[in-house]
Amino acid sequence: MLIKGARVIDPANGKDEISDIRIKDGVIKETGMGLEAETDEDVVDASGLVAAPGFIDGHCHFRDPGFEYKEDIFTGAAAAAKGGFTSVICLANTNPPVDNVDTLNYVLEKGRKTGINVYSAASISKGMKGEGLADLDSLKKAGAAVFTDDGKPLASAALTEKAMKWAAENGAVLSFHEEDPDLVGVAGVNDGKVSRALGFTKGAEASAEDCLVARDCALALRTGARICIQHISSGVSAELVRHAKSMGADVWAEATPHHFSMTEDDVLKYGSLAKMNPPLRTESDRQAIIEAIADGTIGVIATDHAPHSEEEKAREFKDAPSGIIGLETSFAVGYTYLVKPGYLTLSKLIERMTAGPAELYGFDAGTLSVGAPADVVLLDMEEEWVVTDDFASKSKNSPYPGQKLTGRVKMTICGGKKVYLDL
């Protein structure tokens, strides 16, 4: 395949230039202007488009095994490809959870049939119960990309420290959902004016997140473990991560598109379609997250793609499950809410979705270097489009339908093969 005349943005190599890209045998073979097509080579005219490394999502839920009515590995991968993602990490809160090698192998083997790179997390604790460590050695050997009890915080500081010591000794990454349940009333809505407007005595305090972020940053500093703080929603938590990094802790953090594009006020507009854990918070929190993305405190943008059925989301707010889908809108939301207002450059947005997560998880991805895997996304930065509910995902629980966004994925290439096309 020969991609002609694209604006190539490759943050890992500091490149932003008009170039051709030749792909052969699943890798980037050659780059530069004026490359001539070889016999029977598939030529893609990418003039006017941006070519970037395929996006990497380190935090998504494909619900398989156990909850395939919400999503399965094939529909999740299709949604990922439509959103420009060529590598994803599925989280471990399935049924059964990924706390054993058999379930891990099930996810990985099914993922190999999708056309994109499907990795899997494994849980830190047995059964995701927070009471004892899973067989981390066996799970790492079998290919677990990260260890996390996402969806459930680890209540025990002692167990958390034990896991971090293991991770530091074994070169593993731990990822944490930070919400102290003792400080959460009704989950999924910020404790404040909106929770009161909905008639709840108490919502989810920002301090529920802040307390565990502070604890785990301190433990990471003590143990030397590499950790990721998931889906930061609080400005205080962003500042805690910034301080921990300044002290030398190997602490990473991720932000979701919904946390930098929406606030608690959107819960009144969208109801349970804007319910997630941790919840949308205040405008000052949103601005603090954007600042942290811009200065590198938050080095990764992740979707936390969380499918649920229409029937589940139609329940009363307090009874509806938390989470929204996000793979198919992630890039456009980032461009519309971060780049167009001038908070980030386009190159920096792409870096947070490619080279950043590749570095965090140690993936051979996130770059368009010669010899790298041919994972490429072509983007139309001028296209304005209104989000509909015509998702590749099996679920439709998103607050974005009806919103006008700018920037659209036109082609996704993984391992040299087209896995999504809208040209």
Side-chain angles (χ1 to χ4, degrees):
M1 185 187 305
L2 181 62
I3 301 171
K4 293 284 293 181
R7 177 187 172 189
V8 175
I9 299 181
D10 183 9
N13 290 307
K15 287 187 176 182
D16 185 346
E17 61 191 20
I18 305 298
S19 182
D20 304 334
I21 303 171
R22 171 165 281 126
I23 295 170
K24 187 175 288 188
D25 299 324
V27 301
I28 306 292
K29 189 71 174 180
E30 187 179 8
T31 62
M33 283 297 294
L35 300 184
E36 296 293 333
E38 298 176 352
T39 304
D40 297 328
E41 192 169 35
D42 181 9
V43 179
V44 176
D45 180 5
S47 53
L49 301 178
V50 167
F55 301 143
I56 301 168
D57 187 8
H59 187 158
C60 61
H61 301 270
F62 284 0
R63 307 300 192 197
D64 188 355
F67 305 103
E68 291 91 342
Y69 70 94
K70 302 172 188 267
E71 191 82 282
D72 60 54
I73 289 170
F74 293 113
T75 59
K82 189 175 180 181
F85 292 89
T86 53
S87 297
V88 297
I89 301 177
C90 298
L91 274 292
N93 58 338
T94 50
N95 184 25
V98 187
D99 67 347
N100 62 87
V101 170
D102 286 344
T103 306
L104 175 63
N105 284 337
Y106 167 87
V107 175
L108 296 179
E109 289 172 9
K110 198 167 181 179
R112 293 186 189 103
K113 302 173 183 177
T114 64
I116 67 167
N117 304 305
V118 175
Y119 300 91
S120 180
S123 62
I124 294 173
S125 70
K126 296 176 183 177
M128 297 186 68
K129 296 179 179 179
E131 297 171 356
L133 295 182
D135 187 352
L136 305 182
D137 291 311
S138 295
L139 288 162
K140 184 175 187 297
K141 185 177 180 180
V146 62
F147 295 85
T148 176
D149 277 17
D150 174 54
K152 296 181 179 180
L154 283 179
S156 168
L159 186 69
T160 303
E161 183 182 46
K162 185 177 180 180
M164 286 195 196
K165 287 180 177 178
W166 174 86
E169 292 169 359
N170 290 277
V173 182
L174 304 181
S175 189
F176 293 101
H177 181 122
E178 308 286 41
E179 277 191 296
D180 186 335
D182 290 339
L183 298 176
V184 175
V186 175
V189 60
N190 186 47
D191 185 56
K193 63 176 184 178
V194 172
S195 63
R196 291 191 292 273
L198 293 174
F200 303 139
T201 303
K202 184 177 181 181
E205 296 180 22
S207 56
E209 180 176 322
D210 302 336
C211 289
L212 290 187
V213 170
R215 181 198 75 178
D216 291 345
C217 283
L219 290 174
L221 184 63
R222 173 178 172 79
T223 62
R226 171 171 288 192
I227 71 167
C228 180
I229 306 298
Q230 297 173 345
H231 39 47
I232 282 187
S233 68
S234 157
V236 171
S237 287
E239 184 59 34
L240 288 167
V241 170
R242 183 179 287 114
H243 183 61
K245 290 167 74 75
S246 74
M247 296 175 69
D250 193 0
V251 175
W252 289 68
E254 64 181 39
T256 70
H258 39 280
H259 284 116
F260 63 68
S261 67
M262 306 178 80
T263 70
E264 61 179 347
D265 293 329
D266 288 293
V267 175
L268 296 176
K269 182 175 182 180
Y270 297 108
S272 66
L273 291 178
K275 179 182 181 181
M276 67 278 299
N277 299 335
L280 301 172
R281 300 207 192 271
T282 66
E283 175 62 14
S284 63
D285 288 310
R286 188 181 81 89
Q287 289 295 329
I289 291 167
I290 290 172
E291 181 183 354
I293 296 170
D295 71 15
T297 298
I298 296 175
V300 171
I301 291 172
T303 68
D304 192 11
H305 177 83
H308 294 292
S309 72
E310 186 175 353
E311 292 76 16
E312 289 169 326
K313 278 294 193 178
R315 297 170 186 164
E316 291 290 328
F317 185 91
K318 65 182 178 61
D319 299 321
S322 293
I324 67 172
I325 60 172
L327 285 163
E328 297 169 62
T329 52
S330 178
F331 174 75
V333 171
Y335 185 74
T336 302
Y337 285 89
L338 297 179
V339 178
K340 286 190 71 178
Y343 298 120
L344 261 68
T345 63
L346 176 58
S347 179
K348 190 63 69 175
L349 171 64
I350 291 171
E351 192 275 337
R352 298 290 185 262
M353 298 179 70
T354 59
E359 181 182 352
L360 169 58
Y361 297 110
F363 289 168
D364 181 16
T367 177
L368 297 178
S369 299
V370 172
D375 298 345
V376 186
V377 60
L378 299 182
L379 306 162
D380 185 339
M381 304 316 307
E382 302 300 321
E383 183 172 347
E384 293 184 338
W385 57 291
V386 175
V387 182
T388 69
D389 64 359
D390 183 25
F391 294 113
S393 172
K394 194 177 289 188
S395 295
K396 303 181 186 301
N397 52 307
S398 167
Y400 292 106
Q403 293 194 36
K404 181 184 287 186
L405 301 176
T406 304
R408 197 159 196 180
V409 174
K410 307 305 290 184
M411 183 185 294
T412 306
I413 300 163
C414 186
K417 296 180 180 180
K418 298 173 185 177
V419 292
Y420 175 74
L421 179 64
D422 182 30
L423 281 175

